[in-house]
Amino acid sequence: MGNGTYFYFMLFENLGCIKYVFFSLGFIFYCVIIYFNVLIILAVFLERTLHQPMYILISCLSINSVYGTTVFFPRLLTDLLYDTHRISYEACLIQSFVIYSYAAYELTMLMLMAFDRLVAINKPLHYNNIITTRFLTLLIVIAWLYPIICVGFAGILTARLKMCDNKLFKVYCHNYEIVKLSCVNHNINNIYGLIVTFTTIFIPLSFILYSYVKILVICQKSSKEFRSKAYQTCIPHIVILLNFSVALFCELTLSRFVNGEIPIELAVILSLEFIVIPPFVNPIVYGLNFPGIRKKIRHLIKASK
């Protein structure tokens, strides 16, 4: 097939009536995700007392959730309703770019959160001198631009390939699956993919692990009161990290299965978890665990009524 035609999502083909259940759940999840993440963004933006690095980073995580789900859900819901599950080559590359950059930005942002907590706990007296507004802005810009550049270049490498098949066994466009459909040598794509995976997944995860281990060591040597305050701010971040890591592991595991090796319902659920569960859980965890955010969200909800 030539570039400029269509891809077909094969996982939608044999869903039967269960697709209406998926549609209903997907629509509910989408509305809840947008609603609660926008509440987090507004709470941090409107409340001056929340204009602190930790809360700003939390709002950035919510912005990323809105960014990823807005591209994913409308397309998913459309495919669940209609019998023709096709997407143009160009639109598929764009969707792949957004989903991959969403995942990479999630990890770089979690890395910045770990760094912020490490400085706050390891050097509390110098925290305001280190994490300045200017420095934080620079870190956020770098954390945003680096995934976009890496994932964007991967998309360019994929766009040059000639496709010999157009059947995607996913519920969204997946760069690795697209590359496998090409009928020309794609070693460059494979090598570059490994480099991007290492720099956007393993390096951030390694730094995050190092940061929280060091925080744990510091807490063990500190007073009970200091330890309690440190755990109170770190545990929500660790819960979010574990949640996203499990979802990412499910996605990576699914991509290694040969088509037809696992039930179609399980394949759909594993595909959805990657981009549904983290944006759904994040605002709930932060909204429940941080009194400042919780108080402002309550005020916004009352004001809207």
Side-chain angles (χ1 to χ4, degrees), residues 47-72:
E47 182 58 50
R48 281 187 170 273
T49 59
L50 299 181
H51 292 180
Q52 301 174 32
M54 181 177 68
Y55 297 115
I56 291 172
L57 292 173
I58 289 172
S59 69
C60 287
L61 212 58
S62 288
I63 291 171
N64 189 48
S65 295
V66 173
Y67 164 70
T69 53
T70 299
V71 169
F72 172 71

mmCIF file with all atom_site columns, all heavy atoms in Angstrom, residues 47-72:
data_model
loop_
_atom_site.group_PDB
_atom_site.id
_atom_site.type_symbol
_atom_site.label_atom_id
_atom_site.label_alt_id
_atom_site.label_comp_id
_atom_site.label_asym_id
_atom_site.label_entity_id
_atom_site.label_seq_id
_atom_site.pdbx_PDB_ins_code
_atom_site.Cartn_x
_atom_site.Cartn_y
_atom_site.Cartn_z
_atom_site.occupancy
_atom_site.B_iso_or_equiv
_atom_site.pdbx_formal_charge
_atom_site.auth_seq_id
_atom_site.auth_comp_id
_atom_site.auth_asym_id
_atom_site.auth_atom_id
_atom_site.pdbx_PDB_model_num
ATOM 1   N N   . GLU A 1 47 ? -5.727 29.924 42.909 1.00 0.00 ? 47 GLU A N   1
ATOM 2   C CA  . GLU A 1 47 ? -5.377 30.061 44.327 1.00 0.00 ? 47 GLU A CA  1
ATOM 3   C C   . GLU A 1 47 ? -3.901 30.457 44.477 1.00 0.00 ? 47 GLU A C   1
ATOM 4   O O   . GLU A 1 47 ? -3.004 29.693 44.154 1.00 0.00 ? 47 GLU A O   1
ATOM 5   C CB  . GLU A 1 47 ? -5.642 28.755 45.062 1.00 0.00 ? 47 GLU A CB  1
ATOM 6   C CG  . GLU A 1 47 ? -5.368 28.800 46.554 1.00 0.00 ? 47 GLU A CG  1
ATOM 7   C CD  . GLU A 1 47 ? -6.183 29.862 47.261 1.00 0.00 ? 47 GLU A CD  1
ATOM 8   O OE1 . GLU A 1 47 ? -7.419 29.908 47.059 1.00 0.00 ? 47 GLU A OE1 1
ATOM 9   O OE2 . GLU A 1 47 ? -5.579 30.668 48.010 1.00 0.00 ? 47 GLU A OE2 1
ATOM 10  N N   . ARG A 1 48 ? -3.664 31.659 44.992 1.00 0.00 ? 48 ARG A N   1
ATOM 11  C CA  . ARG A 1 48 ? -2.297 32.172 45.113 1.00 0.00 ? 48 ARG A CA  1
ATOM 12  C C   . ARG A 1 48 ? -1.426 31.318 46.035 1.00 0.00 ? 48 ARG A C   1
ATOM 13  O O   . ARG A 1 48 ? -0.226 31.176 45.811 1.00 0.00 ? 48 ARG A O   1
ATOM 14  C CB  . ARG A 1 48 ? -2.322 33.617 45.635 1.00 0.00 ? 48 ARG A CB  1
ATOM 15  C CG  . ARG A 1 48 ? -2.661 34.642 44.563 1.00 0.00 ? 48 ARG A CG  1
ATOM 16  C CD  . ARG A 1 48 ? -2.505 36.054 45.104 1.00 0.00 ? 48 ARG A CD  1
ATOM 17  N NE  . ARG A 1 48 ? -2.594 37.032 44.031 1.00 0.00 ? 48 ARG A NE  1
ATOM 18  C CZ  . ARG A 1 48 ? -1.569 37.423 43.297 1.00 0.00 ? 48 ARG A CZ  1
ATOM 19  N NH1 . ARG A 1 48 ? -0.374 36.905 43.511 1.00 0.00 ? 48 ARG A NH1 1
ATOM 20  N NH2 . ARG A 1 48 ? -1.725 38.334 42.352 1.00 0.00 ? 48 ARG A NH2 1
ATOM 21  N N   . THR A 1 49 ? -2.027 30.761 47.075 1.00 0.00 ? 49 THR A N   1
ATOM 22  C CA  . THR A 1 49 ? -1.244 29.948 48.019 1.00 0.00 ? 49 THR A CA  1
ATOM 23  C C   . THR A 1 49 ? -0.741 28.658 47.377 1.00 0.00 ? 49 THR A C   1
ATOM 24  O O   . THR A 1 49 ? 0.152  28.005 47.931 1.00 0.00 ? 49 THR A O   1
ATOM 25  C CB  . THR A 1 49 ? -2.091 29.600 49.258 1.00 0.00 ? 49 THR A CB  1
ATOM 26  O OG1 . THR A 1 49 ? -3.268 28.885 48.843 1.00 0.00 ? 49 THR A OG1 1
ATOM 27  C CG2 . THR A 1 49 ? -2.503 30.865 49.999 1.00 0.00 ? 49 THR A CG2 1
ATOM 28  N N   . LEU A 1 50 ? -1.311 28.293 46.232 1.00 0.00 ? 50 LEU A N   1
ATOM 29  C CA  . LEU A 1 50 ? -0.881 27.081 45.523 1.00 0.00 ? 50 LEU A CA  1
ATOM 30  C C   . LEU A 1 50 ? 0.142  27.381 44.428 1.00 0.00 ? 50 LEU A C   1
ATOM 31  O O   . LEU A 1 50 ? 0.527  26.486 43.684 1.00 0.00 ? 50 LEU A O   1
ATOM 32  C CB  . LEU A 1 50 ? -2.098 26.368 44.908 1.00 0.00 ? 50 LEU A CB  1
ATOM 33  C CG  . LEU A 1 50 ? -3.168 25.885 45.885 1.00 0.00 ? 50 LEU A CG  1
ATOM 34  C CD1 . LEU A 1 50 ? -4.296 25.187 45.139 1.00 0.00 ? 50 LEU A CD1 1
ATOM 35  C CD2 . LEU A 1 50 ? -2.585 24.950 46.940 1.00 0.00 ? 50 LEU A CD2 1
ATOM 36  N N   . HIS A 1 51 ? 0.573  28.629 44.342 1.00 0.00 ? 51 HIS A N   1
ATOM 37  C CA  . HIS A 1 51 ? 1.586  28.998 43.347 1.00 0.00 ? 51 HIS A CA  1
ATOM 38  C C   . HIS A 1 51 ? 2.973  28.627 43.865 1.00 0.00 ? 51 HIS A C   1
ATOM 39  O O   . HIS A 1 51 ? 3.848  29.475 44.058 1.00 0.00 ? 51 HIS A O   1
ATOM 40  C CB  . HIS A 1 51 ? 1.506  30.487 43.021 1.00 0.00 ? 51 HIS A CB  1
ATOM 41  C CG  . HIS A 1 51 ? 0.250  30.867 42.298 1.00 0.00 ? 51 HIS A CG  1
ATOM 42  N ND1 . HIS A 1 51 ? -0.039 32.149 41.912 1.00 0.00 ? 51 HIS A ND1 1
ATOM 43  C CD2 . HIS A 1 51 ? -0.797 30.104 41.866 1.00 0.00 ? 51 HIS A CD2 1
ATOM 44  C CE1 . HIS A 1 51 ? -1.213 32.173 41.293 1.00 0.00 ? 51 HIS A CE1 1
ATOM 45  N NE2 . HIS A 1 51 ? -1.685 30.943 41.263 1.00 0.00 ? 51 HIS A NE2 1
ATOM 46  N N   . GLN A 1 52 ? 3.140  27.342 44.126 1.00 0.00 ? 52 GLN A N   1
ATOM 47  C CA  . GLN A 1 52 ? 4.396  26.780 44.602 1.00 0.00 ? 52 GLN A CA  1
ATOM 48  C C   . GLN A 1 52 ? 4.836  25.679 43.635 1.00 0.00 ? 52 GLN A C   1
ATOM 49  O O   . GLN A 1 52 ? 3.990  25.088 42.954 1.00 0.00 ? 52 GLN A O   1
ATOM 50  C CB  . GLN A 1 52 ? 4.219  26.213 46.008 1.00 0.00 ? 52 GLN A CB  1
ATOM 51  C CG  . GLN A 1 52 ? 3.747  27.230 47.032 1.00 0.00 ? 52 GLN A CG  1
ATOM 52  C CD  . GLN A 1 52 ? 3.442  26.604 48.370 1.00 0.00 ? 52 GLN A CD  1
ATOM 53  O OE1 . GLN A 1 52 ? 4.066  25.622 48.773 1.00 0.00 ? 52 GLN A OE1 1
ATOM 54  N NE2 . GLN A 1 52 ? 2.465  27.159 49.077 1.00 0.00 ? 52 GLN A NE2 1
ATOM 55  N N   . PRO A 1 53 ? 6.148  25.394 43.572 1.00 0.00 ? 53 PRO A N   1
ATOM 56  C CA  . PRO A 1 53 ? 6.653  24.414 42.595 1.00 0.00 ? 53 PRO A CA  1
ATOM 57  C C   . PRO A 1 53 ? 5.915  23.089 42.590 1.00 0.00 ? 53 PRO A C   1
ATOM 58  O O   . PRO A 1 53 ? 5.554  22.582 41.520 1.00 0.00 ? 53 PRO A O   1
ATOM 59  C CB  . PRO A 1 53 ? 8.114  24.232 43.023 1.00 0.00 ? 53 PRO A CB  1
ATOM 60  C CG  . PRO A 1 53 ? 8.477  25.557 43.618 1.00 0.00 ? 53 PRO A CG  1
ATOM 61  C CD  . PRO A 1 53 ? 7.247  26.034 44.317 1.00 0.00 ? 53 PRO A CD  1
ATOM 62  N N   . MET A 1 54 ? 5.651  22.502 43.766 1.00 0.00 ? 54 MET A N   1
ATOM 63  C CA  . MET A 1 54 ? 5.009  21.192 43.813 1.00 0.00 ? 54 MET A CA  1
ATOM 64  C C   . MET A 1 54 ? 3.622  21.231 43.178 1.00 0.00 ? 54 MET A C   1
ATOM 65  O O   . MET A 1 54 ? 3.250  20.350 42.398 1.00 0.00 ? 54 MET A O   1
ATOM 66  C CB  . MET A 1 54 ? 4.908  20.695 45.257 1.00 0.00 ? 54 MET A CB  1
ATOM 67  C CG  . MET A 1 54 ? 4.278  19.311 45.379 1.00 0.00 ? 54 MET A CG  1
ATOM 68  S SD  . MET A 1 54 ? 4.257  18.704 47.082 1.00 0.00 ? 54 MET A SD  1
ATOM 69  C CE  . MET A 1 54 ? 3.074  19.844 47.823 1.00 0.00 ? 54 MET A CE  1
ATOM 70  N N   . TYR A 1 55 ? 2.847  22.262 43.486 1.00 0.00 ? 55 TYR A N   1
ATOM 71  C CA  . TYR A 1 55 ? 1.489  22.369 42.957 1.00 0.00 ? 55 TYR A CA  1
ATOM 72  C C   . TYR A 1 55 ? 1.498  22.722 41.471 1.00 0.00 ? 55 TYR A C   1
ATOM 73  O O   . TYR A 1 55 ? 0.628  22.269 40.708 1.00 0.00 ? 55 TYR A O   1
ATOM 74  C CB  . TYR A 1 55 ? 0.690  23.403 43.748 1.00 0.00 ? 55 TYR A CB  1
ATOM 75  C CG  . TYR A 1 55 ? 0.511  23.036 45.197 1.00 0.00 ? 55 TYR A CG  1
ATOM 76  C CD1 . TYR A 1 55 ? 1.076  23.795 46.214 1.00 0.00 ? 55 TYR A CD1 1
ATOM 77  C CD2 . TYR A 1 55 ? -0.231 21.907 45.552 1.00 0.00 ? 55 TYR A CD2 1
ATOM 78  C CE1 . TYR A 1 55 ? 0.914  23.451 47.536 1.00 0.00 ? 55 TYR A CE1 1
ATOM 79  C CE2 . TYR A 1 55 ? -0.397 21.555 46.888 1.00 0.00 ? 55 TYR A CE2 1
ATOM 80  C CZ  . TYR A 1 55 ? 0.181  22.334 47.868 1.00 0.00 ? 55 TYR A CZ  1
ATOM 81  O OH  . TYR A 1 55 ? 0.021  21.975 49.193 1.00 0.00 ? 55 TYR A OH  1
ATOM 82  N N   . ILE A 1 56 ? 2.458  23.532 41.061 1.00 0.00 ? 56 ILE A N   1
ATOM 83  C CA  . ILE A 1 56 ? 2.577  23.870 39.635 1.00 0.00 ? 56 ILE A CA  1
ATOM 84  C C   . ILE A 1 56 ? 2.882  22.613 38.822 1.00 0.00 ? 56 ILE A C   1
ATOM 85  O O   . ILE A 1 56 ? 2.322  22.401 37.732 1.00 0.00 ? 56 ILE A O   1
ATOM 86  C CB  . ILE A 1 56 ? 3.674  24.943 39.430 1.00 0.00 ? 56 ILE A CB  1
ATOM 87  C CG1 . ILE A 1 56 ? 3.223  26.276 40.024 1.00 0.00 ? 56 ILE A CG1 1
ATOM 88  C CG2 . ILE A 1 56 ? 3.993  25.111 37.944 1.00 0.00 ? 56 ILE A CG2 1
ATOM 89  C CD1 . ILE A 1 56 ? 4.301  27.336 40.050 1.00 0.00 ? 56 ILE A CD1 1
ATOM 90  N N   . LEU A 1 57 ? 3.748  21.755 39.344 1.00 0.00 ? 57 LEU A N   1
ATOM 91  C CA  . LEU A 1 57 ? 4.071  20.503 38.661 1.00 0.00 ? 57 LEU A CA  1
ATOM 92  C C   . LEU A 1 57 ? 2.858  19.571 38.608 1.00 0.00 ? 57 LEU A C   1
ATOM 93  O O   . LEU A 1 57 ? 2.642  18.872 37.616 1.00 0.00 ? 57 LEU A O   1
ATOM 94  C CB  . LEU A 1 57 ? 5.247  19.813 39.358 1.00 0.00 ? 57 LEU A CB  1
ATOM 95  C CG  . LEU A 1 57 ? 6.601  20.533 39.247 1.00 0.00 ? 57 LEU A CG  1
ATOM 96  C CD1 . LEU A 1 57 ? 7.642  19.840 40.121 1.00 0.00 ? 57 LEU A CD1 1
ATOM 97  C CD2 . LEU A 1 57 ? 7.074  20.570 37.806 1.00 0.00 ? 57 LEU A CD2 1
ATOM 98  N N   . ILE A 1 58 ? 2.058  19.568 39.673 1.00 0.00 ? 58 ILE A N   1
ATOM 99  C CA  . ILE A 1 58 ? 0.824  18.771 39.687 1.00 0.00 ? 58 ILE A CA  1
ATOM 100 C C   . ILE A 1 58 ? -0.121 19.260 38.593 1.00 0.00 ? 58 ILE A C   1
ATOM 101 O O   . ILE A 1 58 ? -0.737 18.455 37.874 1.00 0.00 ? 58 ILE A O   1
ATOM 102 C CB  . ILE A 1 58 ? 0.150  18.833 41.069 1.00 0.00 ? 58 ILE A CB  1
ATOM 103 C CG1 . ILE A 1 58 ? 0.980  18.050 42.097 1.00 0.00 ? 58 ILE A CG1 1
ATOM 104 C CG2 . ILE A 1 58 ? -1.274 18.279 41.009 1.00 0.00 ? 58 ILE A CG2 1
ATOM 105 C CD1 . ILE A 1 58 ? 0.489  18.207 43.521 1.00 0.00 ? 58 ILE A CD1 1
ATOM 106 N N   . SER A 1 59 ? -0.238 20.585 38.447 1.00 0.00 ? 59 SER A N   1
ATOM 107 C CA  . SER A 1 59 ? -1.116 21.137 37.405 1.00 0.00 ? 59 SER A CA  1
ATOM 108 C C   . SER A 1 59 ? -0.580 20.804 36.012 1.00 0.00 ? 59 SER A C   1
ATOM 109 O O   . SER A 1 59 ? -1.367 20.568 35.078 1.00 0.00 ? 59 SER A O   1
ATOM 110 C CB  . SER A 1 59 ? -1.263 22.652 37.571 1.00 0.00 ? 59 SER A CB  1
ATOM 111 O OG  . SER A 1 59 ? -0.056 23.323 37.272 1.00 0.00 ? 59 SER A OG  1
ATOM 112 N N   . CYS A 1 60 ? 0.736  20.759 35.861 1.00 0.00 ? 60 CYS A N   1
ATOM 113 C CA  . CYS A 1 60 ? 1.330  20.373 34.568 1.00 0.00 ? 60 CYS A CA  1
ATOM 114 C C   . CYS A 1 60 ? 0.975  18.931 34.222 1.00 0.00 ? 60 CYS A C   1
ATOM 115 O O   . CYS A 1 60 ? 0.738  18.589 33.056 1.00 0.00 ? 60 CYS A O   1
ATOM 116 C CB  . CYS A 1 60 ? 2.845  20.535 34.616 1.00 0.00 ? 60 CYS A CB  1
ATOM 117 S SG  . CYS A 1 60 ? 3.415  22.246 34.585 1.00 0.00 ? 60 CYS A SG  1
ATOM 118 N N   . LEU A 1 61 ? 0.936  18.073 35.244 1.00 0.00 ? 61 LEU A N   1
ATOM 119 C CA  . LEU A 1 61 ? 0.543  16.688 35.037 1.00 0.00 ? 61 LEU A CA  1
ATOM 120 C C   . LEU A 1 61 ? -0.911 16.611 34.567 1.00 0.00 ? 61 LEU A C   1
ATOM 121 O O   . LEU A 1 61 ? -1.249 15.804 33.691 1.00 0.00 ? 61 LEU A O   1
ATOM 122 C CB  . LEU A 1 61 ? 0.723  15.903 36.342 1.00 0.00 ? 61 LEU A CB  1
ATOM 123 C CG  . LEU A 1 61 ? 1.116  14.418 36.244 1.00 0.00 ? 61 LEU A CG  1
ATOM 124 C CD1 . LEU A 1 61 ? 2.415  14.241 35.488 1.00 0.00 ? 61 LEU A CD1 1
ATOM 125 C CD2 . LEU A 1 61 ? 1.220  13.809 37.627 1.00 0.00 ? 61 LEU A CD2 1
ATOM 126 N N   . SER A 1 62 ? -1.769 17.443 35.123 1.00 0.00 ? 62 SER A N   1
ATOM 127 C CA  . SER A 1 62 ? -3.170 17.483 34.707 1.00 0.00 ? 62 SER A CA  1
ATOM 128 C C   . SER A 1 62 ? -3.314 18.025 33.283 1.00 0.00 ? 62 SER A C   1
ATOM 129 O O   . SER A 1 62 ? -4.148 17.547 32.507 1.00 0.00 ? 62 SER A O   1
ATOM 130 C CB  . SER A 1 62 ? -3.993 18.339 35.680 1.00 0.00 ? 62 SER A CB  1
ATOM 131 O OG  . SER A 1 62 ? -4.162 17.668 36.908 1.00 0.00 ? 62 SER A OG  1
ATOM 132 N N   . ILE A 1 63 ? -2.519 19.021 32.945 1.00 0.00 ? 63 ILE A N   1
ATOM 133 C CA  . ILE A 1 63 ? -2.534 19.551 31.567 1.00 0.00 ? 63 ILE A CA  1
ATOM 134 C C   . ILE A 1 63 ? -2.154 18.451 30.583 1.00 0.00 ? 63 ILE A C   1
ATOM 135 O O   . ILE A 1 63 ? -2.761 18.302 29.511 1.00 0.00 ? 63 ILE A O   1
ATOM 136 C CB  . ILE A 1 63 ? -1.575 20.755 31.439 1.00 0.00 ? 63 ILE A CB  1
ATOM 137 C CG1 . ILE A 1 63 ? -2.113 21.949 32.216 1.00 0.00 ? 63 ILE A CG1 1
ATOM 138 C CG2 . ILE A 1 63 ? -1.372 21.133 29.965 1.00 0.00 ? 63 ILE A CG2 1
ATOM 139 C CD1 . ILE A 1 63 ? -1.146 23.109 32.327 1.00 0.00 ? 63 ILE A CD1 1
ATOM 140 N N   . ASN A 1 64 ? -1.157 17.659 30.956 1.00 0.00 ? 64 ASN A N   1
ATOM 141 C CA  . ASN A 1 64 ? -0.738 16.553 30.092 1.00 0.00 ? 64 ASN A CA  1
ATOM 142 C C   . ASN A 1 64 ? -1.840 15.504 29.948 1.00 0.00 ? 64 ASN A C   1
ATOM 143 O O   . ASN A 1 64 ? -2.033 14.931 28.876 1.00 0.00 ? 64 ASN A O   1
ATOM 144 C CB  . ASN A 1 64 ? 0.525  15.904 30.658 1.00 0.00 ? 64 ASN A CB  1
ATOM 145 C CG  . ASN A 1 64 ? 1.138  14.899 29.712 1.00 0.00 ? 64 ASN A CG  1
ATOM 146 O OD1 . ASN A 1 64 ? 1.320  15.173 28.530 1.00 0.00 ? 64 ASN A OD1 1
ATOM 147 N ND2 . ASN A 1 64 ? 1.450  13.717 30.203 1.00 0.00 ? 64 ASN A ND2 1
ATOM 148 N N   . SER A 1 65 ? -2.580 15.257 31.025 1.00 0.00 ? 65 SER A N   1
ATOM 149 C CA  . SER A 1 65 ? -3.688 14.299 30.971 1.00 0.00 ? 65 SER A CA  1
ATOM 150 C C   . SER A 1 65 ? -4.764 14.766 30.006 1.00 0.00 ? 65 SER A C   1
ATOM 151 O O   . SER A 1 65 ? -5.297 13.974 29.216 1.00 0.00 ? 65 SER A O   1
ATOM 152 C CB  . SER A 1 65 ? -4.286 14.109 32.372 1.00 0.00 ? 65 SER A CB  1
ATOM 153 O OG  . SER A 1 65 ? -3.357 13.508 33.243 1.00 0.00 ? 65 SER A OG  1
ATOM 154 N N   . VAL A 1 66 ? -5.086 16.062 30.053 1.00 0.00 ? 66 VAL A N   1
ATOM 155 C CA  . VAL A 1 66 ? -6.079 16.628 29.134 1.00 0.00 ? 66 VAL A CA  1
ATOM 156 C C   . VAL A 1 66 ? -5.567 16.541 27.697 1.00 0.00 ? 66 VAL A C   1
ATOM 157 O O   . VAL A 1 66 ? -6.314 16.192 26.773 1.00 0.00 ? 66 VAL A O   1
ATOM 158 C CB  . VAL A 1 66 ? -6.399 18.091 29.511 1.00 0.00 ? 66 VAL A CB  1
ATOM 159 C CG1 . VAL A 1 66 ? -7.300 18.738 28.464 1.00 0.00 ? 66 VAL A CG1 1
ATOM 160 C CG2 . VAL A 1 66 ? -7.056 18.149 30.883 1.00 0.00 ? 66 VAL A CG2 1
ATOM 161 N N   . TYR A 1 67 ? -4.286 16.833 27.509 1.00 0.00 ? 67 TYR A N   1
ATOM 162 C CA  . TYR A 1 67 ? -3.650 16.780 26.189 1.00 0.00 ? 67 TYR A CA  1
ATOM 163 C C   . TYR A 1 67 ? -3.741 15.381 25.574 1.00 0.00 ? 67 TYR A C   1
ATOM 164 O O   . TYR A 1 67 ? -4.158 15.213 24.420 1.00 0.00 ? 67 TYR A O   1
ATOM 165 C CB  . TYR A 1 67 ? -2.193 17.220 26.345 1.00 0.00 ? 67 TYR A CB  1
ATOM 166 C CG  . TYR A 1 67 ? -1.265 16.883 25.203 1.00 0.00 ? 67 TYR A CG  1
ATOM 167 C CD1 . TYR A 1 67 ? -1.373 17.522 23.972 1.00 0.00 ? 67 TYR A CD1 1
ATOM 168 C CD2 . TYR A 1 67 ? -0.239 15.943 25.368 1.00 0.00 ? 67 TYR A CD2 1
ATOM 169 C CE1 . TYR A 1 67 ? -0.502 17.233 22.925 1.00 0.00 ? 67 TYR A CE1 1
ATOM 170 C CE2 . TYR A 1 67 ? 0.635  15.655 24.339 1.00 0.00 ? 67 TYR A CE2 1
ATOM 171 C CZ  . TYR A 1 67 ? 0.502  16.293 23.126 1.00 0.00 ? 67 TYR A CZ  1
ATOM 172 O OH  . TYR A 1 67 ? 1.363  15.995 22.093 1.00 0.00 ? 67 TYR A OH  1
ATOM 173 N N   . GLY A 1 68 ? -3.392 14.356 26.346 1.00 0.00 ? 68 GLY A N   1
ATOM 174 C CA  . GLY A 1 68 ? -3.390 12.994 25.819 1.00 0.00 ? 68 GLY A CA  1
ATOM 175 C C   . GLY A 1 68 ? -4.780 12.443 25.571 1.00 0.00 ? 68 GLY A C   1
ATOM 176 O O   . GLY A 1 68 ? -5.064 11.869 24.512 1.00 0.00 ? 68 GLY A O   1
ATOM 177 N N   . THR A 1 69 ? -5.677 12.636 26.547 1.00 0.00 ? 69 THR A N   1
ATOM 178 C CA  . THR A 1 69 ? -7.015 12.045 26.427 1.00 0.00 ? 69 THR A CA  1
ATOM 179 C C   . THR A 1 69 ? -7.875 12.750 25.384 1.00 0.00 ? 69 THR A C   1
ATOM 180 O O   . THR A 1 69 ? -8.745 12.128 24.773 1.00 0.00 ? 69 THR A O   1
ATOM 181 C CB  . THR A 1 69 ? -7.746 12.083 27.779 1.00 0.00 ? 69 THR A CB  1
ATOM 182 O OG1 . THR A 1 69 ? -7.738 13.414 28.301 1.00 0.00 ? 69 THR A OG1 1
ATOM 183 C CG2 . THR A 1 69 ? -7.071 11.160 28.779 1.00 0.00 ? 69 THR A CG2 1
ATOM 184 N N   . THR A 1 70 ? -7.646 14.052 25.160 1.00 0.00 ? 70 THR A N   1
ATOM 185 C CA  . THR A 1 70 ? -8.433 14.784 24.175 1.00 0.00 ? 70 THR A CA  1
ATOM 186 C C   . THR A 1 70 ? -8.193 14.264 22.760 1.00 0.00 ? 70 THR A C   1
ATOM 187 O O   . THR A 1 70 ? -9.100 14.270 21.917 1.00 0.00 ? 70 THR A O   1
ATOM 188 C CB  . THR A 1 70 ? -8.113 16.291 24.238 1.00 0.00 ? 70 THR A CB  1
ATOM 189 O OG1 . THR A 1 70 ? -8.443 16.779 25.538 1.00 0.00 ? 70 THR A OG1 1
ATOM 190 C CG2 . THR A 1 70 ? -8.907 17.071 23.209 1.00 0.00 ? 70 THR A CG2 1
ATOM 191 N N   . VAL A 1 71 ? -7.002 13.794 22.483 1.00 0.00 ? 71 VAL A N   1
ATOM 192 C CA  . VAL A 1 71 ? -6.705 13.227 21.172 1.00 0.00 ? 71 VAL A CA  1
ATOM 193 C C   . VAL A 1 71 ? -7.168 11.778 21.094 1.00 0.00 ? 71 VAL A C   1
ATOM 194 O O   . VAL A 1 71 ? -7.633 11.315 20.047 1.00 0.00 ? 71 VAL A O   1
ATOM 195 C CB  . VAL A 1 71 ? -5.195 13.314 20.867 1.00 0.00 ? 71 VAL A CB  1
ATOM 196 C CG1 . VAL A 1 71 ? -4.829 12.502 19.628 1.00 0.00 ? 71 VAL A CG1 1
ATOM 197 C CG2 . VAL A 1 71 ? -4.786 14.766 20.676 1.00 0.00 ? 71 VAL A CG2 1
ATOM 198 N N   . PHE A 1 72 ? -7.099 11.067 22.213 1.00 0.00 ? 72 PHE A N   1
ATOM 199 C CA  . PHE A 1 72 ? -7.398 9.634  22.203 1.00 0.00 ? 72 PHE A CA  1
ATOM 200 C C   . PHE A 1 72 ? -8.898 9.316  22.246 1.00 0.00 ? 72 PHE A C   1
ATOM 201 O O   . PHE A 1 72 ? -9.416 8.558  21.427 1.00 0.00 ? 72 PHE A O   1
ATOM 202 C CB  . PHE A 1 72 ? -6.699 8.962  23.388 1.00 0.00 ? 72 PHE A CB  1
ATOM 203 C CG  . PHE A 1 72 ? -7.085 7.529  23.602 1.00 0.00 ? 72 PHE A CG  1
ATOM 204 C CD1 . PHE A 1 72 ? -6.660 6.548  22.717 1.00 0.00 ? 72 PHE A CD1 1
ATOM 205 C CD2 . PHE A 1 72 ? -7.887 7.169  24.669 1.00 0.00 ? 72 PHE A CD2 1
ATOM 206 C CE1 . PHE A 1 72 ? -7.023 5.217  22.910 1.00 0.00 ? 72 PHE A CE1 1
ATOM 207 C CE2 . PHE A 1 72 ? -8.246 5.838  24.866 1.00 0.00 ? 72 PHE A CE2 1
ATOM 208 C CZ  . PHE A 1 72 ? -7.820 4.864  23.982 1.00 0.00 ? 72 PHE A CZ  1
#
